Amino acid sequence: MEKEYLIREKPLKAMTVFAVPMIIGNLFQQFYTMADSAVVGRFVGEGALAAVGASYALTTVFISIAIGGGVGASVITGSYFGAREYRKMKASIRTALISFFILSVFLGSVGLLFSRQILEALNTPESVMEQAVEYLNIYFLGLPFLFMYNILSSMFNALGRSRIPLGLLIFSSVFNVILDLYMVCSLHMGVAGAAWATLIAQGISAAFSFVIFLRGLKQYETGEERVPLFDRKEFSNMARVALPSILQQSTVSIGLMLVQSVVNGFGEEMLAGYSAAMRIENIATVPMSAMGNVMSAYVAQNIGAKQYDRVRTGYRTGIGMVAGFAAVICVILELFYRPLIFLFLGEEGTAAAMKTGMDCLRYMGWFYVLIGMKMTTDGVLRGAGDMTVFTVANLVNLSIRVIVAAVFAPVWGIVMVWAVVPAGWLVNFLISYTRYRTGKWREKAQKLGG
């Protein structure tokens, strides 16, 4: 079948065909927050950019839960797809959609109730507190749309149909930018306008994704046997992989939120500069994150098809691909760090904000190969359902970043917030790679979906 290229084509071709739409799609997804930041930073002011930046650390936690859940659930779906067990595949999909919709409503409600208290706990500067709370509350209203889109996107990827999320993301990202400019510049709604623009664009994208996905599922025959709306066994299988993935994703984001609280303590100007640098870093890590997700889908499908040798070949191919991405990213950041930061801060950007953003970008540009190697290796373990070491490696990475930032940044300056990041990536990679080399992931893989 055409959609089985991940288990049939040569690894380089299969992974490239799968990765390119995903990378482009993830870039457009980053444009959501990037557009919010650029528009409010240029047309409202540095304080508005700091408000969105202060909110971003918290919103990332919820985004990570959605992405972690989607990637984790898609491992089970991809395994069933590779084995052509379409009834189980559909049962796992239905179970995932219902489970994560309920979770999104719960988390959105909690966020609306405690947004101010959380921001206060994160040392958000008082000068931007009201704008940050306003942005967050609107964001939480749209959380079910965010979850629905990310879960469906992961399911599309599990079935080898990464071009569909790409098309929807291009549409919604462009629509989001148009709404941003209209609501912020024409209606003068400030950060609230940026938040509403994101909510509306994501809502429309989620609705289109849902309709297209349901229609696409009809091509997979399940025979006369009824597919349950919610399957407890599939929920258990999904939870076994999805919960560690959610834990890893959300714990890392919570850790970064703690790092954000350290940055907030340096004041509005440095917060604005750091926020601008983080938006660009999110773009720079897109190919690396995409390769991690590619590896998960590739490994899950080939495990389902009992083709274990293709996993090792695919892993070596993935490492080569991220090394190439890292070289290109390094050149771009080292040459264009100043105009990239200026894009967010504009003529009104203070010297402290500009210096903070530029220093961060110039340093980080040399180390993206490490996060690429880490994410590719993590992707193999996740796709094989080998979640314990995967989770431990990411928690160690997180601990290094949080502890060094909290202890040394107040003494040696904000530079310590990003100076430690490559060390965390390297340790994470070494732990995951050691596990990969033992071959024990294959033992876990043989139990996947069983």
Side-chain angles (χ1 to χ4, degrees):
M1 293 177 63
E2 178 186 355
K3 302 303 180 185
E4 294 181 341
Y5 61 88
L6 284 178
I7 59 177
R8 296 185 181 278
E9 298 285 353
K10 291 183 178 180
L12 179 60
K13 179 180 178 181
M15 295 171 71
T16 300
V17 169
F18 191 64
V20 170
M22 185 181 292
I23 290 171
I24 297 173
N26 287 351
L27 285 172
F28 274 97
Q29 190 170 42
Q30 288 297 332
F31 288 160
Y32 275 115
T33 54
M34 193 172 180
D36 288 351
S37 299
V39 171
V40 299
R42 295 295 295 270
F43 299 106
V44 183
E46 194 172 274
L49 174 59
V52 174
S55 306
Y56 179 72
L58 182 55
T59 62
T60 301
V61 174
F62 294 93
I63 293 172
S64 296
I65 293 173
I67 294 175
V71 171
S74 70
V75 168
I76 299 298
T77 300
S79 180
Y80 286 142
F81 178 77
R84 299 186 181 181
E85 297 184 39
Y86 296 136
R87 181 191 170 279
K88 290 183 177 181
M89 180 188 79
K90 289 187 177 183
S92 69
I93 289 170
R94 291 183 177 185
T95 301
L97 290 174
I98 292 172
S99 301
F100 285 106
F101 175 75
I102 294 172
L103 179 61
S104 69
V105 172
F106 171 75
L107 292 176
S109 301
V110 172
L112 283 169
L113 288 173
F114 299 105
S115 57
R116 180 179 293 274
Q117 290 87 338
I118 297 173
L119 285 169
E120 289 174 349
L122 293 175
N123 298 321
T124 302
E126 191 62 36
S127 60
V128 302
M129 177 64 75
E130 293 305 318
Q131 293 182 86
V133 171
E134 185 178 26
Y135 183 87
L136 267 184
N137 286 341
I138 298 170
Y139 173 88
F140 285 129
L141 289 174
L143 204 60
F145 296 130
L146 172 72
F147 267 69
M148 180 182 294
Y149 174 78
N150 278 283
I151 298 300
L152 288 171
S153 180
S154 293
M155 293 303 177
F156 276 123
N157 292 334
L159 303 183
R161 304 177 69 189
S162 57
R163 294 182 183 180
I164 294 177
L166 169 61
L168 290 168
L169 268 175
I170 292 174
F171 161 76
S172 57
S173 298
V174 172
F175 188 43
N176 181 52
V177 172
I178 294 171
L179 288 176
D180 265 329
L181 293 171
Y182 176 67
M183 292 184 171
V184 174
C185 302
S186 298
L187 299 184
H188 305 291
M189 294 175 64
V191 296
W196 279 114
T198 298
L199 186 153
I200 294 169
Q202 284 185 339
I204 294 174
S205 180
F208 284 165
S209 296
F210 187 69
V211 172
I212 295 171
F213 189 77
L214 289 184
R215 289 182 177 177
L217 277 182
K218 293 179 180 179
Q219 68 180 288
Y220 303 108
E221 299 293 335
T222 59
E224 298 295 326
E225 193 173 2
R226 176 179 170 272
V227 179
L229 186 63
F230 185 91
D231 190 305
R232 291 184 179 180
K233 181 180 178 181
E234 295 308 329
F235 178 79
S236 177
N237 287 337
M238 178 185 70
R240 193 177 67 211
V241 180
L243 287 178
S245 184
I246 291 173
L247 175 64
Q248 180 266 327
Q249 292 273 359
S250 59
T251 302
V252 168
S253 295
I254 290 171
L256 296 181
M257 189 168 64
L258 297 176
V259 172
Q260 180 75 54
S261 71
V262 175
V263 175
N264 291 347
F266 284 92
E268 181 180 314
E269 293 182 352
M270 289 190 177
L271 171 57
Y274 180 77
S275 298
M278 287 301 98
R279 292 299 186 275
I280 298 165
E281 178 178 313
N282 290 336
I283 295 292
T285 56
V286 159
M288 313 310 183
S289 177
M291 282 306 303
N293 292 335
V294 167
M295 287 305 306
S296 289
Y298 176 88
V299 170
Q301 285 197 22
N302 280 281
I303 283 170
K306 310 299 183 184
Q307 298 181 151
Y308 297 104
D309 289 343
R310 281 178 58 87
V311 173
R312 295 186 182 277
T313 305
Y315 174 69
R316 292 192 294 270
T317 300
I319 292 293
M321 292 173 71
V322 296
F325 291 141
V328 173
I329 292 167
C330 179
V331 171
I332 292 173
L333 292 185
E334 295 306 312
L335 292 177
F336 302 107
Y337 62 89
R338 183 180 296 274
L340 287 171
I341 294 297
F342 184 83
L343 174 66
F344 291 89
L345 297 177
E347 297 287 353
E348 303 301 321
T350 61
M354 288 292 295
K355 184 178 188 306
T356 299
M358 291 189 297
D359 286 351
C360 181
L361 278 193
R362 293 188 71 185
Y363 177 81
M364 293 300 298
W366 296 99
F367 298 104
Y368 284 109
V369 67
L370 294 178
I371 191 173
M373 294 164 62
K374 158 198 140 40
M375 288 188 167
T376 302
T377 311
D378 285 351
V380 174
L381 300 184
R382 185 171 56 211
D386 191 3
M387 303 301 293
T388 302
V389 175
F390 162 83
T391 303
V392 169
N394 281 274
L395 290 177
V396 172
N397 171 20
L398 168 66
S399 299
I400 292 172
R401 296 183 65 173
V402 172
I403 292 172
V404 171
V407 174
F408 295 103
V411 179
W412 292 340
I414 195 173
V415 64
M416 294 305 300
V417 170
W418 57 80
V420 70
V421 172
W425 291 343
L426 177 60
V427 172
N428 189 154
F429 164 70
L430 291 175
I431 295 173
S432 295
Y433 182 71
T434 299
R435 177 66 171 186
Y436 167 77
R437 290 287 296 174
T438 67
K440 292 183 178 179
W441 55 270
R442 181 167 177 167
E443 299 172 13
K444 294 285 185 178
Q446 292 171 341
K447 301 177 182 178
L448 190 64

